[in-house]
Amino acid sequence: MNNLIILPIIIPIIVGMIMVIFRKNIKLQRFLSVLSTIAISISTLLLITQIHTKGIQTLHLGGWEAPFGVSMVADMFSAILILVTSIVSLCCLLFAFHSIGKEREANYFYPLFLFLITGVNGSFITGDIFNLFVCFEVMLVSSYVLISLGGTRNQLSESIKYILINIISSFLFLVAIAFLYAMTGTLNFAHLSIRVAEVGQEGLMTTVAILFLIVFSLKAGLFLFFWLPGSYSAPPTAISAIFAALLTKVGIYAIIRVFTLVFYHEPEVTHLFIGILAAVTMLLGAIGAVAFWDIKRILTYNVIVGVGFILAGVASYTTEGMTGSLFYLIHDMVVKALIFLLGGTIIHLTGTSKLKEISGLIRLHPGLGWMFFIAALSLSGIPPLSGFLGKIFITEGTFERGYLWLGGVGLFTSLLVLYSIMKIFMNVFWGYTDLTEENEKGTTKGLMLPIGILTIITIALGLGAEGIHDYVDIAVEGLMNPSLYIEAVLGGNLGH
Amino acid sequence: METLMSILVGILFAIGVYLILTKTLLRIILGTSILGHGVNLLIITMGGLKKGGPPLLGIKNLTYADSLPQALLLTAIVINFATTALFLVLSYRAYKVLGTDDTEQLRGIKNE
């Protein structure tokens, strides 16, 4: 029992509800939102040190023991993700202060942002599959409102698609939960793991596993990503950055959790299937990224490539592959937020997202140009930046498992990603400078601080990989060895 | 009883999917709502339709009803209700701004 675990969920939800009362007081809302993300970071840091010394921490709400009550479980994997989430959301908030506009601020932008973080943190920390659904819905309903907040024509038509897709996938999620409950009679992850191991993962169980995979793929943008490019380019920059950094990652988290803890008995079927989907996702995403000449489109297709690459490591189901996936997941959350914020700043300055109408920005904004260059190298995994180590480990893992095609596709798409992002860099920052200080559409005042923080983090993650390797190893050990999780949650009363 | 319920769930799913595949936005929303009811019935069927007493202390019965699917169902109904309400409001707003509720015409709408 450890009450620290609940803090990442209740801090944002309580602060968000307080903010709803003070609708007019924007200054207070800004202050509270920054304060709460910092508070979550500090509490998660404490949690990480506790997990490091004492192992996986659990909290049984209301004192009901594990298979019967609602339990919250914080292992190293989820704690690291919550820490990265709060840092990234802090940067997106700082960016939003100067770019989101008075209208949206007055219409509950900050409360909705915090409710979104509540849902994300809740999904990371929950210990049973139905609460995963509930936290998904908390996150999704906030994202529905955030994506349509402001109500421009493009936002409205894209949000309808987005909501419809997500409602249908939520129903499929419930169907899968119903079948799983009928077969195992439990919903707790640890208990499910035991029950599935007892009955054996026969054909029907594998079918349910594939149904879960389809649901989470829809949320994560793995193969079923047709809704993603449109809806992620519709809202303002701060919102699309937080979407790119967090929403798909929650789907990836769910895939990793379910397929390492519950359905890990038939990796020849399920994990191979994930591998094929990952390869197709990477290829299609990279083709999309290369094809377009619009900053927002190129960036959203890069999100899709990232998803495929992380899950290639999961598909290999080796210690190396998992380590790589975790490193790359952390890197991807930071660098996707960074590159979206950079792209948004360029659009903010020039007033257009078409590459062919922009050129020579580096003369007026050298800082922005160099940070974009660093972000671009980091995104495609050039050493010594943060993407490199994850890329090495994932490729090693896939080769070790014998999936040469998967590793090969990953390396090939890295080149395409590098090309697509360098296309933005060369077109936007090089060439003849036709923009002057006077005819810029906006200023970079206040926008450079969050971008700078994220750039420093991506460099630090690359150079200081040795420092976090210890923690990532503990997380991977927990993922590859489900008995640790089961032991921590169920303790004495093992599965009866 | 379970068989009958399964058939009913199948019918509701079929109607829901049919409505979602039509063009009018309002029919699509009704389709998601009906699909939601089908899912709710599926959950209650999957828990097993036992005839038994309520699972409370002090009631002496040989069999008890499983209370967990009902708890799941309540949560699912509330969430379904909330998303349907939000979707209806959004579609009304979209109709006002975009001037159409035909999904065919909603394609390719960009910022002006």
Side-chain angles (χ1 to χ4, degrees):
Chain A
M1 296 290 267
N2 184 347
N3 285 323
L4 208 57
I5 295 175
I6 199 78
L7 284 180
I9 306 177
I10 56 166
I11 290 174
I13 203 162
I14 289 179
V15 174
M17 287 193 286
I18 292 171
M19 280 181 189
V20 173
I21 303 171
F22 299 104
R23 183 190 169 190
K24 292 277 160 59
N25 198 338
I26 307 264
K27 281 220 172 80
L28 181 72
Q29 290 192 20
R30 287 179 173 183
F31 174 70
L32 280 178
S33 55
V34 168
L35 197 68
S36 58
T37 45
I38 293 172
I40 298 168
S41 313
I42 292 169
S43 64
T44 318
L45 275 174
L46 281 175
L47 195 59
I48 285 179
T49 54
Q50 286 188 2
I51 297 168
H52 191 53
T53 50
K54 285 183 255 168
I56 298 171
Q57 300 290 309
T58 57
L59 173 66
H60 304 298
L61 294 183
W64 289 83
E65 287 298 315
F68 307 110
V70 172
S71 46
M72 302 277 160
V73 188
D75 61 348
M76 192 55 96
F77 179 44
S78 38
I80 289 174
L81 289 184
I82 292 174
L83 182 64
V84 182
T85 300
S86 47
I87 292 170
V88 168
S89 50
L90 176 65
C91 294
C92 288
L93 272 172
L94 290 175
F95 192 88
F97 288 168
H98 295 276
S99 69
I100 202 81
K102 285 272 179 293
E103 284 265 307
R104 289 191 172 92
E105 278 185 327
N107 285 304
Y108 309 108
F109 169 73
Y110 296 115
L112 286 165
F113 195 94
L114 288 186
F115 293 151
L116 182 86
I117 294 170
T118 310
V120 172
N121 285 349
S123 313
F124 287 153
I125 224 164
T126 180
D128 73 77
I129 202 155
F130 191 75
N131 276 310
L132 183 68
F133 167 76
V134 174
C135 292
F136 261 54
E137 286 304 312
V138 171
M139 173 187 88
L140 286 173
V141 172
S142 325
S143 75
Y144 297 158
V145 184
L146 279 176
I147 207 170
S148 55
L149 192 68
T152 61
R153 291 167 65 85
N154 188 21
Q155 272 182 312
L156 284 173
S157 68
E158 291 297 342
S159 63
I160 285 172
K161 259 184 276 174
Y162 177 73
I163 292 178
L164 184 61
I165 295 288
N166 277 302
I167 285 179
I168 291 171
S169 82
S170 296
F171 287 149
L172 284 178
F173 195 175
L174 277 178
V175 169
I177 288 175
F179 283 134
L180 194 62
Y181 183 70
M183 276 189 279
T184 59
T186 183
L187 293 168
N188 190 294
F189 277 133
H191 202 193
L192 270 174
S193 180
I194 295 175
R195 287 276 172 92
V196 172
E198 276 172 7
V199 236
Q201 197 177 331
E202 294 294 312
L204 202 53
M205 201 65 93
T206 307
T207 315
V208 173
I210 300 286
L211 192 54
F212 273 114
L213 181 62
I214 292 170
V215 171
F216 296 142
S217 304
L218 263 169
K219 316 263 185 200
L222 174 72
F223 185 59
L224 303 166
F225 58 75
F226 45 86
W227 53 272
L228 198 146
S231 25
Y232 277 24
S233 51
T237 308
I239 297 175
S240 57
I242 202 78
F243 279 13
L246 298 184
L247 291 195
T248 53
K249 306 307 177 288
V250 178
I252 294 170
Y253 166 82
I255 291 179
I256 295 178
R257 176 63 80 212
V258 167
F259 283 90
T260 56
L261 185 59
V262 184
F263 302 114
Y264 59 91
H265 304 282
E266 288 261 353
E268 312 82 57
V269 181
T270 49
H271 288 70
L272 182 63
F273 193 47
I274 296 178
I276 295 167
L277 291 183
V280 178
T281 310
M282 282 190 278
L283 280 175
L284 292 178
I287 291 169
V290 170
F292 282 96
W293 284 86
D294 181 292
I295 295 176
K296 282 194 160 183
R297 290 275 157 174
I298 295 174
L299 295 184
T300 46
Y301 275 100
N302 272 311
V303 173
I304 296 165
V305 180
V307 171
F309 201 74
I310 293 166
L311 286 162
V314 179
S316 77
Y317 200 54
T318 53
T319 311
E320 275 76 24
M322 279 303 196
T323 313
S325 286
L326 199 49
F327 264 119
Y328 204 79
L329 191 56
I330 298 167
H331 148 79
D332 204 55
M333 286 166 90
V334 173
V335 88
K336 284 287 145 55
L338 172 60
I339 203 102
F340 265 74
L341 293 183
L342 283 164
T345 311
I346 294 168
I347 297 168
H348 185 66
L349 282 173
T350 57
T352 175
S353 64
K354 294 193 179 59
L355 279 182
K356 290 181 174 164
E357 294 173 11
I358 313 172
S359 81
L361 221 54
I362 201 155
R363 188 157 303 160
L364 291 172
H365 301 283
L368 191 69
W370 287 111
M371 282 199 266
F372 194 94
F373 186 65
I374 292 171
L377 293 187
S378 182
L379 190 68
S380 45
I382 307 277
L385 296 158
S386 59
F388 175 62
L389 209 60
K391 210 145 252 188
I392 292 251
F393 276 120
I394 289 176
T395 314
E396 200 185 323
T398 49
F399 283 0
E400 190 178 307
R401 169 64 57 166
Y403 296 162
L404 290 175
W405 47 275
L406 191 56
V409 167
L411 293 178
F412 174 64
T413 50
S414 300
L415 284 178
L416 293 185
V417 164
L418 184 63
Y419 167 73
S420 75
I421 210 80
M422 277 301 150
K423 188 165 77 177
I424 300 184
F425 180 72
M426 284 159 68
N427 273 286
V428 170
F429 291 103
W430 289 1
Y432 174 70
T433 312
D434 52 359
L435 204 68
T436 56
E437 305 247 356
E438 287 80 50
N439 63 10
E440 278 180 3
K441 301 287 188 292
T443 63
T444 54
K445 186 172 152 289
L447 301 182
M448 297 309 272
L449 176 68
I451 295 174
I453 295 172
L454 286 173
T455 313
I456 291 167
I457 291 173
T458 184
I459 297 171
L461 277 177
L463 296 178
E466 204 61 42
I468 59 168
H469 200 286
D470 201 13
Y471 295 91
V472 171
D473 270 349
I474 294 173
V476 171
E477 195 196 345
L479 289 176
M480 296 303 288
N481 192 358
S483 59
L484 289 174
Y485 188 96
I486 296 166
E487 185 66 33
V489 178
L490 293 176
N493 43 354
L494 273 171
H496 292 291
Chain B
M1 193 63 186
E2 266 95 349
T3 326
L4 212 60
M5 285 287 267
S6 320
I7 294 167
L8 180 62
V9 169
I11 293 171
L12 283 176
F13 265 66
I15 297 172
V17 170
Y18 171 75
L19 282 174
I20 286 173
L21 293 177
T22 53
K23 280 183 194 163
T24 322
L25 214 47
L26 199 58
R27 286 164 73 108
I28 292 175
I29 297 170
L30 284 176
T32 59
S33 192
I34 288 174
L35 204 63
H37 293 314
V39 170
N40 291 342
L41 283 180
L42 180 75
I43 295 175
I44 207 98
T45 319
M46 282 293 145
L49 298 166
K50 292 179 215 112
K51 284 185 182 136
L56 294 172
L57 292 175
I59 293 177
K60 299 276 181 288
N61 261 64
L62 286 176
T63 54
Y64 292 98
D66 190 356
S67 58
L68 195 65
Q70 303 183 13
L72 304 187
L73 198 57
L74 272 174
T75 319
I77 289 172
V78 173
I79 290 171
N80 186 8
F81 173 68
T83 46
T84 309
L86 181 77
F87 203 177
L88 276 171
V89 170
L90 190 80
S91 72
Y92 175 70
R93 178 80 187 150
Y95 174 69
K96 278 280 184 187
V97 173
L98 306 172
T100 176
D101 68 339
D102 190 330
T103 45
E104 200 78 356
Q105 289 167 13
L106 283 176
R107 292 172 75 168
I109 285 182
K110 292 276 167 284
N111 273 331
E112 48 270 22

